[in-house]
């Protein structure tokens, strides 16, 4: 698959499940690898990004096997990782490279991490600076700003850091580095970001102490192996949810989706816009909240989104732009400058492509403004090599008149390889 050709949909599936959560799968692969004992992982993400993390852990000497649809990780404890014989290639995956920086900073061997063109142009000072300020030795291209990153692994004593920008990747890297210290580990975040690392460490018996915006580690820092079932990925479910809201007469149920409150900003914002969304069968599975999401065609109004809500839906903002083109009134997204340093500049990418389709959307320095509703027209769009842009534009293509072509749509495999098969 290179380009995909889409036309207006009259209907969509009424029920589905989505593959395992990408963020959680990365963490399960890393923490399972340094845990004591065997972990069996069910519903591990099918995303290429998560495969990247598995391959990196294998190159660090960890025995990870596939058994049917499960992954079996033979954890041999925090000090069992081995010096890799080659550079670790993190591909397109920001979560792999940034979390591995933390995990590898405190090892007694050196590692070099690199990635594709997109990853090598994404900011890495945010990860190297806090680790280096805490005694680690990481060096990167252009004065420690970009990958490749050389990690001169060495014992760290303590970790203390006040994050200037909310980032679950940075927080998680510092917590993973903290597992290899004996001293105080305390991380303060300005706004709550996704807390999967904290939840998983807790589930594996590590002492995690959570204050309002402060996370610290207690004396037990050695994770125990656990069997784990990964919840369905809400960031993938977001695409069928958006389509169901926009498609006349659509009704949709998605079972077993992660509904961790640090990830549900998109659902909350949609509900405020007037979306009919119910969550049924709420429960806790392996210390992560999950449930079944029930939704369908809804009349929507514009909304203003900024501040604390942004980290709770950072990956869904390009999709919200598509939804906003069909809502009545003005939608304003602000405080989302982080979108400019994702797999692509997601503000400029989504604004440029939706404009081509006839949307009334303007870019601002830290977000965008949409006036709706406007009919969308099929045309030739670019994915910008970014999976979430390709999928957001596909939803736009399915509600547009005429034919929409998404160029280089194979990038959807980065997070959601089943996307096109599941949707139509
Ligand atoms: C992620 C954190 C977010 C998110 C990314 C996954 C994670 O990035 O955009 O897709 O798994 O920790 P930031 O930490 O840069 O906000």
């Amino acid at each position: 698959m290179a380009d995909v050709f889409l036309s207006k949909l009259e209907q969509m599936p009424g029920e589905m499940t989505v593959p395992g959560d990408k963020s959680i799968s990365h963490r399960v692969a890393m923490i399972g690898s340094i845990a004591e004992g065997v972990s069996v992982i069910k519903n591990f993400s099918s995303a290429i990004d998560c495969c990247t993390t598995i391959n990196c852990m294998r190159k660090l000497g960890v025995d990870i096997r596939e058994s049917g649809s499960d992954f079996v990780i033979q954890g041999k404890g925090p000090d069992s990782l081995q010096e890799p014989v080659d550079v670790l290639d993190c591909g397109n995956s920001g979560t792999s490279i940034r979390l591995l920086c933390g995990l590898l900073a405190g090892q007694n061997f050196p590692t070099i991490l690199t990635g594709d063109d997109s990853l090598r142009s994404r900011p890495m000072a945010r990860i190297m600076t806090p680790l280096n300020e805490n005694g680690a030795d990481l060096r990167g291209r252009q004065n420690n700003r970009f990958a490749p990153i050389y990690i001169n692994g060495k014992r760290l004593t303590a970790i203390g850091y006040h994050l200037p920008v909310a980032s679950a990747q940075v927080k998680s890297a510092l917590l993973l580095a903290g597992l290899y210290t004996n001293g105080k580990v305390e991380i303060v975040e300005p706004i709550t970001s996704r807390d999967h690392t904290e939840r998983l460490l807790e589930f594996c018996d590590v002492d995690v102490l959570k204050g309002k915006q402060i996370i610290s580690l207690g004396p037990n820092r050695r994770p125990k192996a656990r069997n784990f079932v990964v919840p369905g990925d809400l960031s993938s479910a977001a695409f069928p949810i958006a389509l169901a809201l926009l498609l006349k007469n659509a009704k949709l149920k998605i079972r077993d989706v992660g509904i961790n409150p640090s990830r549900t900003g998109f659902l909350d914002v949609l509900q405020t816009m007037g979306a009919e969304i119910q969550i049924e069968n709420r429960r806790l599975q392996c210390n992560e909240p999950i449930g079944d999401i029930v939704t369908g065609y809804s009349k929507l109004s514009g909304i203003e989104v900024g501040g604390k809500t942004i980290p709770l839906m950072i990956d869904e903002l390009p999709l919200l732009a598509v939804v906003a083109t069909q809502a009545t009134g003005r939608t304003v997204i602000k405080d989302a400058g982080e979108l400019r340093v994702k797999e692509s500049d997601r503000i400029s990418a989504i604004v440029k492509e939706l404009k081509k389709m006839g949307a009334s959307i303007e870019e601002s320095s830290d977000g965008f403004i949409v006036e709706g509703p406007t009919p969308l027209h099929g045309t030739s769009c670019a994915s910008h090599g970014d999976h979430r842009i390709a999928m957001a534009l596909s939803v736009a293509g399915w509600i547009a008149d005429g034919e929409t072509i998404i160029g280089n749509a194979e990038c959807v495999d980065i997070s959601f390889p089943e996307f096109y098969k599941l949707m139509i």
Side-chain angles (χ1 to χ4, degrees), residues 23 27 95 98 126 166-169 194 314-315 338 342 388:
S23 283
R27 288 154 169 84
T95 307
R98 294 197 177 118
R126 59 180 60 194
S167 166
Q169 292 174 346
R194 63 191 74 192
I314 186 74
D315 293 336
E338 273 294 297
K342 295 292 178 186
R388 300 208 196 275

Side-chain angles (χ1 to χ4, degrees), residues 279-345:
I279 300 178
E280 297 176 350
N281 198 12
R282 286 175 186 266
R283 59 219 192 265
L284 202 64
Q285 174 185 279
C286 304
N287 210 24
E288 283 284 348
I290 70 165
D292 303 339
I293 299 177
V294 181
T295 188
Y297 177 71
S298 304
K299 290 234 177 307
L300 304 172
S301 321
I303 191 172
E304 204 169 294
V305 185
K308 288 187 175 173
T309 309
I310 296 295
L312 310 182
M313 60 177 303
I314 186 74
D315 293 336
E316 286 67 68
L317 289 168
L319 180 60
L320 185 67
V322 175
V323 172
T325 67
Q326 304 309 304
T328 304
R330 172 177 286 198
T331 293
V332 182
I333 306 301
K334 56 182 189 180
D335 307 322
E338 273 294 297
L339 285 181
R340 294 203 182 273
V341 291
K342 295 292 178 186
E343 285 82 330
S344 69
D345 175 342

